[in-house]
């Protein structure tokens, strides 16, 4: 039998918002571990002691966390969701009729108070340290990887002459800002890299051991100088760079580099660069940033993009056993690969498939030992056409001073522990990226400029860490109560 329920929603009811939020709701678990006193203590310095009452900084921080916890990518939509969602109101400490802050408030508060204060960096570190104290992070096994983040910029808006509605002043301004950003991030990463000085000392020591004169100090130009006329800069976000990687989408992108602990998958650090930086260039900076927690790192899992001799030397110096994916270097068609030539450490020479020796000649500034065959022997060798196409009919092999580290890394990757680290890397850091993009609004950059994108990635990782810590603490409490 059908009956008319009447206008039930027109009745006045006495309810508590506390009773309307489910006890197992995620925000309840986060609220149980949320340190509001830490936020108020750190934020007090950014507020005047006189004047109109300000919005509680805890409310503003929680608004950002709600946006990233539930993948809300717009401040306007965030405010609309808070107005109608009882759990959000309860988490912010608002009543059913209390007004929600204006949608411009979080952005203005960030630009006027927290932009260069390091406030969210301190909050991120505070959550990580709480997880360390709780025993969820030990730092013995960590994983580092990068993921591209589409910049908030149209890939067709390029600073180049002849573009529609673009003046020469606009082009010059965009290129200048792009070059300044590239130079700044390059210097920031190189400040943490001490391998160049170590390599220079090793080169001269090796030359002296072979009876050669030491080389005089000379700056080695690793990259070609950036030319303003040749760069591809965006008019919308000049700090972003064009992504030029095989299998990756074209357009202007940033790279977010994450370091994740292997125990429960907590994110230890987030560092953002333009897409022009390679993974290998950023690894020293990532390791340096993780050191602030005082963790003793014993093992590390890395992708093939980090597999350089300089990075292998850096990891060996720090006593870190790394499982690096192997990077294959293609051999010209019709020629034998370098692996066909066997190195003999006792003789410090290479032996070719024809059982002839390639002897040491010199050590270059770049740290490579040069080995060369006997021209007279090679001229009559039946394997010459498969060995080299040199006009001098001489085979030359270069071996880096750190080549033994790469050979050790390859052998370790074949072991059971090496395979375990490679598998764990896919289950930790790659899953962290996937969750951030799928669930926490990190599919593309909401803001422009590296600092703002760094903030977006940092708060996304902060939300993930808070969520993980809240769930783990909730399970621990449940086990304690049932025991």
């Amino acid at each position: 039998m059908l009956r008319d329920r009447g206008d039930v929603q027109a009745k006045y009811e006495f309810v508590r918002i506390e009773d309307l939020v489910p006890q197992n709701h995620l925000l309840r678990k986060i609220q149980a571990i949320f340190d509001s006193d830490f936020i108020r203590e750190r934020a007090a310095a950014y507020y005047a002691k006189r004047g109109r009452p300000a919005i509680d900084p805890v409310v503003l921080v929680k608004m950002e966390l709600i946006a990233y916890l539930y993948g809300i990518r717009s401040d306007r939509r965030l405010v609309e969701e808070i107005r109608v969602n009882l759990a959000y109101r309860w988490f912010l400490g608002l009543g059913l009729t209390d007004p929600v802050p204006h949608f411009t408030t979080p952005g203005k508060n960030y630009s006027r108070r927290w932009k260069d204060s390091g406030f969210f960096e301190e909050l991120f570190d505070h959550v990580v340290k709480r997880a360390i104290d709780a025993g969820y992070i030990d730092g013995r096994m960590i994983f580092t990887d990068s993921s591209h983040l589409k910049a908030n910029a149209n890939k067709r808006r390029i600073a180049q002459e002849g573009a529609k509605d673009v003046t020469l002043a606009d082009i010059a301004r965009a290129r200048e800002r792009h070059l300044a950003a590239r130079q700044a991030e390059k210097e920031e990463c190189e400040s943490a890299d001490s391998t160049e000085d170590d390599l220079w000392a090793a080169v001269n020591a090796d030359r002296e051991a072979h009876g050669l004169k030491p080389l005089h100090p000379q700056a080695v130009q690793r990259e070609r100088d950036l030319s303003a006329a040749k760069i591809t800069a965006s008019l919308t976000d000049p700090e972003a760079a064009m992504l030029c990687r095989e299998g990756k989408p074209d357009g202007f992108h940033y790279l977010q580099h994450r370091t994740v602990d292997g125990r429960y998958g907590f994110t230890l650090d987030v560092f953002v660069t333009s897409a022009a930086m390679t993974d290998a260039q950023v690894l020293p900076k990532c390791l340096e940033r993780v050191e602030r927690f005082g963790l003793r790192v014993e093992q590390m899992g890395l992708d093939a993009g980090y597999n350089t001799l300089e990075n292998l030397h850096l990891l060996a110096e720090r006593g870190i056993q790394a499982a690096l994916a192997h990077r294959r270097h293609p051999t010209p068609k019709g020629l034998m690969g370098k692996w066909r030539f066997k190195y003999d450490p006792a003789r410090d020479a290479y032996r070719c498939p024809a059982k002839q020796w390639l002897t040491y000649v010199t050590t270059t500034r770049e740290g490579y030992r040069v080995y060369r065959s006997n021209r007279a022997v090679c001229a009559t060798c039946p394997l010459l056409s498969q060995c080299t196409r040199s006009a001098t009919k001489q085979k030359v092999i270069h071996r880096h001073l750190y080549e033994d580290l790469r050979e050790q890394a390859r052998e370790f990757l074949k072991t059971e522990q090496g395979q375990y680290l490679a598998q764990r890397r896919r289950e930790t850091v790659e899953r962290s990226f996937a969750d951030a993009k799928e669930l926490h609004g990190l599919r593309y950059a909401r803001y422009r400029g590296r600092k703002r994108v760094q903030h977006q990635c940092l708060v996304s990782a902060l939300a993930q860490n808070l969520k993980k810590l809240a769930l783990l603490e909730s399970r621990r409490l449940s086990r304690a109560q049932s025991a």
Side-chain angles (χ1 to χ4, degrees):
M1 173 180 170
L2 298 176
R3 63 177 180 177
D4 186 9
R5 297 178 66 242
D7 198 358
V8 178
Q9 294 180 340
K11 295 180 180 179
Y12 287 97
E13 298 183 46
F14 291 96
V15 295
R16 291 194 315 161
I17 193 172
E18 175 72 24
D19 300 331
L20 299 176
V21 181
Q23 292 298 318
N24 63 345
H25 198 283
L26 174 62
L27 292 180
R28 278 194 179 274
K29 297 176 182 180
I30 292 178
Q31 180 63 27
I33 65 166
F34 198 78
D35 194 348
S36 300
D37 294 336
F38 176 85
I39 294 175
R40 291 194 179 97
E41 179 184 345
R42 293 295 189 276
Y46 310 124
Y47 291 85
K49 297 182 179 180
R50 299 165 61 181
R52 294 178 60 188
I55 298 175
D56 190 349
V58 175
V59 173
L60 297 175
V61 171
K62 286 183 174 181
M63 286 179 67
E64 288 233 33
L65 288 176
I66 289 174
Y68 286 94
L69 281 169
Y70 294 97
I72 303 173
R73 296 190 291 257
S74 164
D75 289 338
R76 289 176 181 266
R77 188 182 165 204
L78 172 63
V79 171
E80 293 173 0
E81 292 290 335
I82 293 173
R83 286 198 182 104
V84 300
N85 193 305
L86 293 175
Y88 295 171
R89 282 183 171 272
W90 174 86
F91 185 59
L92 296 176
L94 302 177
L96 290 173
T97 58
D98 289 337
V100 180
H102 195 265
F103 70 86
T104 61
T105 303
K108 292 295 183 182
N109 186 75
Y110 172 82
S111 60
R112 294 174 181 175
R113 288 192 176 97
W114 298 339
K115 184 177 181 180
D116 297 316
S117 65
F119 173 77
F120 277 94
E121 286 79 0
E122 292 181 13
L123 182 58
F124 178 87
D125 290 357
H126 179 67
V127 173
V128 172
K129 289 174 182 176
R130 287 190 62 182
I132 293 174
D133 295 338
Y136 299 125
I137 297 176
D138 57 14
R140 293 173 58 246
M141 183 188 301
I142 65 173
F143 305 91
T144 297
D145 203 354
S146 69
S147 179
H148 59 275
L149 189 69
K150 185 179 181 302
N152 188 359
N154 189 335
K155 65 181 181 181
R156 295 180 180 84
R157 292 276 295 167
I158 300 176
Q160 60 183 4
E161 297 181 10
K164 186 178 179 181
D165 298 330
V166 178
T167 64
L168 293 178
D170 295 335
I171 296 173
R173 194 181 305 112
R175 287 176 174 174
E176 182 180 359
R177 185 177 167 188
H178 178 85
L179 287 172
R182 289 278 301 277
Q183 185 65 27
E185 67 183 7
K186 183 180 176 183
E187 292 176 356
E188 190 175 358
C189 293
E190 287 182 351
S191 65
D193 188 1
S194 60
T195 57
E196 186 174 349
D197 295 335
D198 296 340
L199 179 60
W200 183 257
V203 166
N204 279 332
D206 189 70
R207 289 180 65 87
E208 290 178 6
H210 286 88
L212 300 176
K213 294 181 179 179
L215 298 173
H216 296 291
Q218 179 178 338
V220 179
Q221 189 175 5
R222 295 183 174 181
E223 299 178 357
R224 291 177 296 178
D225 295 333
L226 295 173
S227 173
K230 295 180 180 179
I231 63 173
T232 304
S234 169
L235 291 168
T236 312
D237 185 1
E239 295 187 27
M242 191 68 74
L243 183 63
C244 300
R245 294 190 180 186
E246 186 179 355
K248 302 297 183 181
D250 60 345
F252 295 101
H253 287 76
Y254 287 95
L255 291 179
Q256 53 164 329
H257 305 265
R258 283 196 180 194
T259 302
V260 175
D261 183 69
R263 192 166 189 183
Y264 285 97
F266 280 90
T267 301
L268 300 177
D269 182 65
V270 176
F271 183 60
V272 173
T273 66
S274 71
M277 297 292 290
T278 64
D279 295 344
Q281 289 176 297
V282 184
L283 181 61
K285 189 65 178 180
C286 293
L287 287 173
E288 181 188 64
R289 289 170 63 88
V290 172
E291 288 178 350
R292 67 185 186 271
F293 298 114
L295 300 171
R296 179 172 176 77
V297 180
E298 298 177 2
Q299 295 180 325
M300 198 169 185
L302 296 165
D303 200 358
Y306 300 91
N307 195 346
T308 65
L309 292 166
E310 291 79 8
N311 284 340
L312 287 169
H313 175 68
L314 177 67
L315 293 168
E317 274 198 328
R318 295 172 180 251
I320 300 174
Q321 180 68 68
L324 290 95
H326 179 53
R327 175 185 287 178
R328 294 185 179 275
H329 299 279
T331 304
K333 189 175 181 180
L335 294 182
M336 294 183 291
K338 183 180 176 180
W339 60 273
R340 297 281 302 275
F341 296 79
K342 304 301 181 182
Y343 178 69
D344 186 347
R347 293 189 57 166
D348 188 22
Y350 274 91
R351 195 171 190 182
C352 73
K355 310 302 182 184
Q356 300 298 324
W357 292 99
L358 285 77
T359 56
Y360 172 86
V361 178
T362 185
T363 302
T364 67
R365 293 180 180 272
E366 292 77 18
Y368 285 92
R369 291 175 180 170
V370 181
Y371 298 87
R372 192 175 296 162
S373 64
N374 188 326
R375 185 185 307 175
V377 175
C378 290
T380 59
C381 180
L383 300 177
L384 179 62
S385 61
Q386 305 173 35
C387 181
T388 181
R389 294 172 183 157
S390 172
T392 61
K393 298 182 180 181
Q394 224 174 359
K395 178 67 176 179
V396 177
I397 291 181
H398 293 77
R399 179 182 176 87
H400 201 276
L401 295 176
Y402 301 152
E403 191 69 31
D404 56 332
L405 297 177
R406 175 168 288 170
E407 294 170 355
Q408 293 170 14
R410 289 176 182 171
E411 292 302 318
F412 176 72
L413 191 61
K414 298 176 184 177
T415 64
E416 183 178 348
Q417 183 63 22
Q419 290 296 310
Y420 173 75
L421 285 173
Q423 178 63 29
R424 285 291 293 160
R425 182 186 66 83
R426 292 187 285 270
E427 297 171 353
T428 52
V429 65
E430 290 189 5
R431 179 175 178 177
S432 178
F433 283 132
D435 287 347
K437 292 185 177 184
E438 190 69 22
L439 305 175
H440 301 288
L442 210 60
R443 181 65 64 182
Y444 56 83
R446 293 171 56 187
Y447 310 107
R448 295 168 185 171
R450 189 161 74 98
K451 284 187 177 180
R452 286 294 268 148
V453 177
Q454 169 77 25
H455 172 77
Q456 178 185 353
C457 296
L458 184 74
V459 180
S460 177
L462 170 62
Q464 288 178 268
N465 282 349
L466 267 177
K467 179 180 177 180
K468 196 179 295 290
L469 181 61
L471 293 175
L472 289 171
E473 288 292 280
S474 176
R475 293 169 191 167
R476 175 181 285 183
L477 180 62
S478 298
R479 288 194 297 266
Q481 292 175 348
S482 62

